[in-house]
Amino acid sequence: MKQKPTSGPNSQQQEAIHITEGPLLIIAGPGSGKTFTLVERIYHLISEKNIQPEQLFVSTFTEKAAAELITRVSSRLAADNIAVNLNEMYIGTFHSICLRFLEENREFTRLKRSFTLLDQFDQQYFLYQKLSEYQNIEGSEYILENTRGWWAAEKLMMWVNKVSEEALDPKVLLNALEPEVQALGRCYQQYQKHLEEENYLDFSTIQLEALRLLEGHPEILNEIREKIQYLMVDEYQDTNTIQERILFTLAKPDFNLCVVGDDDQGLYRFRGATIRNILEFPQQFPSDVCKQVSLTTNYRSHPDIIEFYDKWMETLDWTADGKIFRYEKEIVPDAEADFTDMPTTLKVTGNNPKNWHKEVLAFLYRLRDSGALTDWNQVAFLFRSVKSQKAVALAEALEADGIPVYSPRSNLFFDRTEIRLMIGALIFLFPQFPEVRQWNKNVWFDIWDYYDNDCFQEFTTELRKPENQPLLEWCRRQARVHRTLTEGTDYAFSGLFYVLLQFPLFSQYLGDVTQGDVIGSRPARNLAIFSQMLNKYEYIHRINVLTPNNLDRNLQRLFNQFFRFLKEGNIFEYEDASEYAPSGCVSFMTIHQSKGLEFPVVIVGSMEVTPWERSNDLDALLQRKYYSKKPFEPLDQTKNYDFWRLFYTAFSRAQNLLILTCQEQVSGRRVPSKYFKSVYDLLPPWRTASFQPENLTLETIKDVDLKNEYSFTSHITVFENCARQYKFYRDIGFAPIRRNPILFGTLVHQTIEDIHKAVLRGEEHIVTDDQIENWFETNYTHLSRQERLYLRQEAQDAALDHVLRYVDRERSTWNRIRETEVEVSLVKDLYILKGHVDLIRGEDGTVEIVDFKSEKKPDLVSEWEKVERYRRQLEVYAHIIEGRTEHTISKMHLYYTGEDDGNPYVSFDKDTRSIEQTVATFDGIVARIENKDFEIAARPDRLCRNCDMKAYCDAM
């Protein structure tokens, strides 16, 4: 069956592509070629209307969707030999675009250099650490809702995020009549103070700070408006109040704003999204100003599947108070496709767990044995939660019968053998742990059973094996040291982790991770995630080494709090962004997780669930009285609307087969629940004679075509220095802990950038020694906190000398500075290359490139390979800058800030003739990276000395 338009856009898509001026609403039904339409619309703006990529704002729901869009647009342009730099486009999630606004204009915000972005766990843990301060706030019981500890922090996080997402005015909340609203205002005010003190930013306040930037600085807003001429927003049904405000602020006065979405797939009310944004969009403008296009041809699904999910939506009354809370639409199948003449929407059931699991297995094997199913990854199971007892039991039954299950978000991270062994090893290394963890005899945490029975016992069982004798001896020595620690060590928990990797019990997981097999490489990637967790813990608690004074407290916090909260909450395993599911595995995922995806066979579980209420009295009060708009949908109906939209999304993921599955009659309770009854009862069972899978053609799972981004410094240079380091730190994702040389260089670079920005603002007079030291100290404070690294005073003095020496030498040439930290990027057929460079004025109207190196000038004879590598990099910078600007590059320079007496410059004339060879060299490096070719001819001894993986490599 044909899945996407191959002969060009249909008439509806054509209309959506060519309406470029003014507001446009595109209602895109399931499988209607939405991404295809967006690609063609961007292509049309660039190729036909001569719009530059930097004039486009394109918001997508995920960064993966943005990367896929960039890849498809660049391929589309390349096919017509249209050369533009797509990397200048404002494209990404709403959060990432707002973050870019903040980073480009940081000096106009509350943020200082090297601010830390908190993910959801970081934010909740941060609030947990400060919880006592919130508990002391008058009225906090309204906000914490009788919860304690970790769960109180979760409640608090939900409320402060709600205030940010709705852009509520804290002053209005503080002056409210209701005590619970006043308490919310006080808690939010305290939270904002904490964020500012720590130089933190969370995902909700990214957008709030962006709105403050735009509304509080008209000059910045005008500058951005002049640059961005056309705005497109995907998944508009899942935007929130503050996102709408930002969009409408940016889009004025022309409102060349195109929003795309499907109101029937609005899933994220619990994250602050409001369906009213898409349902009321046309009414935001004068009559007939907003154009509206509906994409209704489904190129994805069999007509039976379309008919089923249409019928599902019709079983709910969407009218209330004279309004209809969805757009009328009639989704139709592709008229040109050939469809199998058999039922493709079925049910698979059983009346007890064993019988149900047996039926699911029989159905799967019937598909496989018929020849229709050629790979297990053509099957996706969708649930409301993959952590539910029924979903977990079904997954275990499938795996026990030889069908592998891929479910990276099912909270199995702490159940993996490699993680249990690593935690067991850390417990063994600290024999005082059982005493330390239980500070009170009446205290008991359930996770202690996991530590004792699953982790410690499994590790000690392995230690008794003869092949692990060296590990046993090392662990015993370290345990004796830690038991009676009398002086500080030169390591923390993450240091011990890296030493453990040298022993075969752990190094076995790091061997063959180069073939791109997600399941095969999962243990190594899980250990990398574990290293990131340890790194995060040590960063949060400012732990650099273990000391007699801090050891017991840090052990207690690590195991009783940090690991416990991660285990009880969410820690996801590695997912490969380039594919839906690895070959040979069925997928288990949540319905939310499946959004935007499609699978040949979709099996929807969770048939026992019912609509659930998400709001409470305070939430309802805020909506009625304090939100910028009055409630839209009737509050007593929102749970039903959300329920129907959730399962509509699930049903519409199916291409060839849609299966509803459940264990019927659970403990006397009707399953499926009454909400599914009217559609479920009409479905034929899979054993019906009319279902003949031999006559069925199933689509195959497609890989997601993504162009990866590579940085000269973080990727190309790292790989050339040591491909094995690249493998562990960049590809697998281990978190390095020895980064002092990087901290030194970043500190020098950032301070020089501060100087250049002052000069470019016309403030040369403030570039004094005192001000330079002030910039330097500020940068060091925030960098050392962010990186959890510190420089000895001698190293700090040396770094400051680098900067002061640069100023003394160049002060008389400030007028030559053109631009600082210019981002350069080259979009290739298979990847994107990025870097940063400074520009200075050259002779005869030309421009010269300068790249700063915070080291001594190398010997140009003995270290010519290193210098040649930098020259090639500058050559590509020059090529890119000339390609995207009107500048002519005449010279290229390396500036060595560590040079004491001689000339700090190494200069090159630009050689256009060798650019093709240079780019070909980078093509080869990227090809090796993407082919997972990390072999090295010899170990680079200089780098090995400061590499965390040294013990592992030594033992190989």
Side-chain angles (χ1 to χ4, degrees):
M1 189 183 78
K2 183 173 63 174
Q3 292 301 304
K4 290 287 182 291
T6 56
S7 57
N10 63 33
S11 59
Q12 295 170 332
Q13 294 166 338
Q14 283 279 15
E15 188 179 5
I17 291 163
H18 289 94
I19 298 174
T20 57
E21 310 306 306
L24 170 65
L25 170 64
I26 303 174
I27 299 296
S32 60
K34 179 187 65 173
T35 303
F36 169 82
T37 303
L38 280 174
V39 169
E40 290 299 313
R41 198 170 191 274
I42 295 169
Y43 172 83
H44 174 72
L45 285 166
I46 293 172
S47 64
E48 299 295 329
K49 300 197 63 122
N50 297 316
I51 301 301
Q52 296 303 307
E54 58 265 31
Q55 294 176 292
L56 297 176
F57 174 114
V58 182
S59 171
T60 60
F61 194 70
T62 63
E63 291 296 348
K64 178 178 173 180
E68 186 175 9
L69 205 58
I70 281 280
T71 299
R72 289 176 61 171
V73 171
S74 64
S75 299
R76 181 76 172 89
L77 292 165
D80 285 356
N81 295 315
I82 299 173
V84 293
N85 193 349
L86 286 177
N87 212 48
E88 297 300 307
M89 190 189 303
Y90 283 88
I91 183 169
T93 64
F94 220 100
H95 291 88
S96 69
I97 295 175
C98 286
L99 190 60
R100 178 173 166 185
F101 289 154
L102 295 177
E103 289 172 333
E104 291 176 344
N105 302 280
R106 183 186 50 78
E107 59 268 34
F108 296 96
T109 73
R110 70 161 176 84
L111 298 168
K112 304 174 184 66
R113 272 197 186 279
S114 306
F115 59 84
T116 298
L117 181 58
L118 305 176
D119 63 22
Q120 181 176 316
F121 177 83
D122 298 336
Q123 184 187 14
Q124 189 172 341
Y125 194 78
F126 176 58
L127 287 168
Y128 172 82
Q129 290 178 280
K130 306 276 188 180
L131 192 58
S132 61
E133 297 184 45
Y134 294 95
Q135 290 170 328
N136 291 329
I137 290 174
E138 183 183 353
S140 63
E141 65 272 12
Y142 295 113
I143 309 306
L144 304 181
E145 302 176 27
N146 296 317
T147 54
R148 300 175 61 189
W150 183 242
W151 310 115
E154 183 179 46
K155 286 287 183 186
L156 184 57
M157 177 178 68
M158 178 194 76
W159 285 114
V160 296
N161 287 347
K162 190 179 291 288
V163 175
S164 294
E165 287 158 357
E166 293 297 331
L168 301 181
D169 187 341
K171 293 178 182 176
V172 172
L173 301 181
L174 289 168
N175 293 317
L177 296 176
E178 302 86 358
E180 60 268 41
V181 179
Q182 292 177 19
L184 177 58
R186 285 190 284 268
C187 287
Y188 188 77
Q189 189 178 53
Q190 180 65 59
Y191 178 60
Q192 289 296 304
K193 179 185 173 188
H194 283 153
L195 288 179
E196 188 159 358
E197 287 173 350
E198 298 291 339
N199 199 27
Y200 283 171
L201 193 63
D202 66 45
F203 276 94
S204 294
T205 53
I206 286 174
Q207 297 168 139
L208 183 63
E209 293 294 341
L211 183 63
R212 287 173 177 168
L213 172 70
L214 298 174
E215 293 184 343
H217 297 277
E219 70 281 14
I220 301 297
L221 175 58
N222 290 334
E223 185 179 309
I224 293 174
R225 276 180 180 165
E226 286 177 12
K227 185 185 294 185
I228 297 174
Q229 298 297 311
Y230 294 87
L231 297 93
M232 282 173 267
V233 183
D234 192 12
E235 305 288 4
Y236 195 64
Q237 76 277 2
D238 288 319
T239 55
N240 60 25
T241 299
I242 196 168
Q243 290 169 346
E244 183 190 61
R245 275 182 64 176
I246 291 170
L247 276 175
F248 277 61
T249 299
L250 290 171
K252 294 175 183 176
D254 297 326
F255 277 103
N256 296 329
L257 172 59
C258 168
V259 301
V260 187
D262 181 2
D263 54 296
D264 288 340
Q265 298 184 62
L267 303 185
Y268 287 92
R269 188 192 306 273
F270 68 96
R271 288 189 189 168
T274 172
I275 203 73
R276 75 185 307 158
N277 283 0
I278 193 167
L279 291 178
E280 290 190 327
F281 185 77
Q283 285 73 54
Q284 301 276 31
F285 307 95
S287 179
D288 298 327
V289 168
C290 179
K291 302 293 190 298
Q292 188 169 329
V293 177
S294 293
L295 307 182
T296 57
T297 301
N298 184 317
Y299 293 94
R300 171 188 299 159
S301 303
H302 190 283
D304 282 1
I305 297 171
I306 298 171
E307 181 181 356
F308 177 82
Y309 65 64
D310 276 347
K311 192 176 297 179
W312 163 251
M313 295 303 277
E314 290 167 4
T315 60
L316 183 67
D317 183 2
W318 294 87
T319 61
D321 302 325
K323 296 180 181 177
I324 302 177
F325 293 96
R326 68 182 290 245
Y327 286 110
E328 293 290 341
K329 57 182 77 73
E330 182 183 358
I331 307 299
V332 298
D334 181 8
E336 299 178 13
D338 292 327
F339 296 104
T340 305
D341 185 17
M342 73 169 69
T344 57
T345 307
L346 309 156
K347 58 188 174 187
V348 175
T349 67
N351 54 18
N352 60 59
K354 185 176 181 180
N355 180 253
W356 175 42
H357 297 164
K358 183 178 177 181
E359 281 295 288
V360 172
L361 284 162
F363 169 74
L364 292 175
Y365 285 124
R366 177 79 173 90
L367 279 182
R368 186 198 64 180
D369 295 344
S370 72
L373 189 79
T374 57
D375 193 319
W376 288 128
N377 73 357
Q378 293 169 287
V379 179
F381 287 79
L382 306 185
F383 304 91
R384 195 178 78 176
S385 169
V386 289
K387 296 178 234 175
S388 71
Q389 187 177 359
K390 288 184 174 60
V392 170
L394 181 59
E396 290 173 349
L398 265 58
E399 293 216 312
D401 210 74
I403 300 178
V405 173
Y406 178 64
S407 186
R409 302 193 189 187
S410 59
N411 218 26
L412 294 174
F413 179 84
F414 283 95
D415 294 331
R416 299 300 180 193
T417 302
E418 62 277 6
I419 300 304
R420 295 199 307 267
L421 288 173
M422 183 57 74
I423 291 176
L426 289 177
I427 292 172
F428 189 98
L429 291 175
F430 297 95
Q432 64 269 51
F433 173 68
E435 305 150 28
V436 168
R437 73 183 183 186
Q438 192 167 14
W439 69 97
N440 183 315
K441 65 180 181 179
N442 297 318
V443 173
W444 183 267
F445 292 138
D446 290 341
I447 198 171
W448 292 348
D449 287 331
Y450 165 77
Y451 290 150
D452 294 343
N453 301 328
D454 293 356
C455 301
F456 185 75
Q457 193 174 94
E458 186 168 359
F459 178 71
T460 53
T461 299
E462 291 294 329
L463 274 186
R464 296 188 190 102
K465 295 179 179 179
E467 63 268 26
N468 290 322
Q469 183 68 24
L471 173 60
L472 173 62
E473 293 173 0
W474 180 84
C475 285
R476 282 175 171 168
R477 285 197 303 272
Q478 287 298 129
R480 284 194 293 270
V481 170
H482 294 153
R483 181 68 182 179
T484 56
L485 195 65
T486 57
E487 59 183 19
T489 65
D490 61 353
Y491 54 81
F493 299 108
S494 53
L496 293 169
F497 166 86
Y498 277 108
V499 176
L500 284 165
L501 294 182
Q502 71 180 294
F503 296 102
L505 184 61
F506 296 104
S507 64
Q508 64 176 317
Y509 297 116
L510 306 185
D512 186 18
V513 295
T514 60
Q515 300 307 312
D517 174 11
V518 176
I519 298 298
S521 68
R522 183 168 59 193
R525 297 186 186 281
N526 281 341
L527 286 170
I529 292 171
F530 192 83
S531 78
Q532 296 166 22
M533 289 161 45
L534 286 178
N535 190 273
K536 181 179 290 189
Y537 173 75
E538 291 171 353
Y539 165 73
I540 290 171
H541 293 288
R542 311 282 193 265
I543 302 168
N544 293 297
V545 296
L546 304 178
T547 69
N549 293 331
N550 72 19
L551 181 56
D552 287 358
R553 178 69 180 127
N554 287 330
L555 274 173
Q556 192 180 90
R557 283 191 302 207
L558 177 63
F559 288 95
N560 284 355
Q561 296 176 9
F562 193 74
F563 285 161
R564 178 164 68 97
F565 298 154
L566 280 167
K567 190 173 188 298
E568 292 176 356
N570 284 310
I571 179 74
F572 298 149
E573 297 184 81
Y574 170 78
E575 289 180 81
D576 189 340
S578 67
E579 61 182 4
Y580 289 170
S583 179
C585 301
V586 298
S587 288
F588 268 50
M589 58 176 61
T590 66
I591 299 171
H592 286 88
Q593 190 183 350
S594 74
K595 178 175 176 172
L597 305 181
E598 59 187 18
F599 292 90
V601 182
V602 168
I603 303 178
V604 181
S606 300
M607 293 286 101
E608 73 281 0
V609 300
T610 62
W612 61 101
E613 187 64 61
R614 292 188 183 275
S615 63
N616 59 16
D617 292 342
L618 176 55
D619 198 26
L621 172 61
L622 291 172
Q623 291 186 55
R624 286 196 309 270
K625 195 170 177 181
Y626 293 95
Y627 280 16
S628 58
K629 296 178 182 179
K630 297 300 180 186
F632 177 60
E633 296 170 299
L635 294 179
D636 62 343
Q637 283 296 315
T638 56
K639 67 178 182 180
N640 292 325
Y641 293 164
D642 289 349
F643 187 82
W644 256 256
R645 290 170 182 145
L646 179 71
F647 281 91
Y648 176 86
T649 302
F651 301 149
S652 60
R653 300 306 92 204
Q655 294 172 280
N656 310 119
L657 275 180
L658 172 62
I659 310 298
L660 273 57
T661 189
C662 65
Q663 174 197 335
E664 296 181 346
Q665 299 295 340
V666 178
S667 301
R669 185 163 53 91
R670 169 69 184 181
V671 177
S673 68
K674 65 179 182 179
Y675 299 92
F676 297 106
K677 181 175 173 57
S678 61
V679 293
Y680 178 87
D681 286 350
L682 297 176
L683 294 179
W686 76 273
R687 292 186 182 274
T688 182
S690 57
F691 177 60
Q692 298 291 328
E694 293 82 1
N695 301 322
L696 186 67
T697 301
L698 297 180
E699 303 295 330
T700 56
I701 288 291
K702 62 179 182 182
D703 287 339
V704 180
D705 185 17
L706 299 179
K707 282 185 181 176
N708 294 315
E709 290 186 355
Y710 296 98
S711 155
F712 284 104
T713 305
S714 303
H715 295 91
I716 302 298
T717 301
V718 171
F719 187 89
E720 288 189 308
N721 286 337
C722 179
R724 193 177 290 167
Q725 272 195 358
Y726 188 98
K727 166 187 170 180
F728 287 116
Y729 299 136
R730 303 302 309 185
D731 185 68
I732 303 177
F734 282 90
I737 54 177
R738 303 186 197 183
R739 291 174 291 186
N740 293 63
I742 297 174
L743 176 63
F744 185 101
T746 305
L747 182 57
V748 172
H749 276 72
Q750 286 192 354
T751 310
I752 289 176
E753 185 184 348
D754 286 328
I755 294 165
H756 287 179
K757 284 188 172 181
V759 170
L760 290 169
R761 291 194 304 266
E763 298 177 353
E764 297 97 324
H765 60 282
I766 73 168
V767 184
T768 63
D769 285 359
D770 287 344
Q771 181 58 54
I772 292 169
E773 289 187 31
N774 182 44
W775 281 324
F776 182 89
E777 290 298 330
T778 300
N779 291 336
Y780 177 68
T781 298
H782 294 294
L783 266 175
S784 59
R785 175 178 291 181
Q786 183 187 54
E787 298 293 331
R788 199 177 48 81
L789 291 169
Y790 302 92
L791 296 176
R792 297 190 311 275
Q793 189 59 50
E794 312 91 85
Q796 292 182 49
D797 293 343
L800 181 58
D801 283 345
H802 278 227
V803 178
L804 293 173
R805 188 161 50 237
Y806 167 73
V807 172
D808 288 342
R809 282 171 168 159
E810 305 300 328
R811 190 184 296 275
S812 62
T813 64
W814 286 152
N815 64 321
R816 294 189 66 196
I817 298 173
R818 285 287 302 266
E819 295 181 60
T820 185
E821 286 297 293
V822 178
E823 183 179 284
V824 291
S825 57
L826 178 65
V827 180
K828 298 278 292 172
D829 289 343
L830 301 176
Y831 65 96
I832 298 171
L833 200 57
K834 300 179 72 172
H836 290 84
V837 73
D838 284 17
L839 302 182
I840 62 175
R841 301 179 197 278
E843 297 178 357
D844 302 323
T846 63
V847 169
E848 299 175 6
I849 288 176
V850 181
D851 193 14
F852 290 93
K853 303 296 179 186
S854 52
E855 56 188 281
K856 284 189 175 293
K857 188 174 176 179
D859 184 287
L860 299 184
V861 176
S862 62
E863 297 182 80
W864 70 269
E865 286 187 4
K866 180 179 180 180
V867 176
E868 173 63 15
R869 192 184 304 155
Y870 289 149
R871 185 196 66 77
R872 295 201 317 259
Q873 183 176 317
L874 291 177
E875 211 166 59
V876 176
Y877 286 164
H879 173 72
I880 295 169
I881 290 170
E882 287 191 337
R884 76 172 179 88
T885 70
E886 297 179 356
H887 296 317
T888 299
I889 306 297
S890 54
K891 284 187 178 295
M892 309 175 300
H893 307 279
L894 297 170
Y895 190 106
Y896 289 90
T897 59
E899 187 64 20
D900 294 325
D901 303 317
N903 178 11
Y905 284 96
V906 175
S907 302
F908 312 95
D909 291 326
K910 184 172 69 78
D911 184 359
T912 309
R913 295 169 299 177
S914 64
I915 186 64
E916 289 186 9
Q917 182 180 346
T918 297
V919 172
T921 300
F922 293 138
D923 287 345
I925 292 171
V926 170
R928 284 191 62 190
I929 290 172
E930 301 206 334
N931 289 327
K932 311 290 186 184
D933 177 8
F934 302 121
E935 292 299 317
I936 55 175
R939 288 174 61 183
D941 293 337
R942 181 179 59 84
L943 291 177
C944 288
R945 287 193 295 270
N946 290 311
C947 179
D948 297 313
M949 299 301 300
K950 182 177 186 300
Y952 167 82
C953 291
D954 287 346
M956 285 182 65

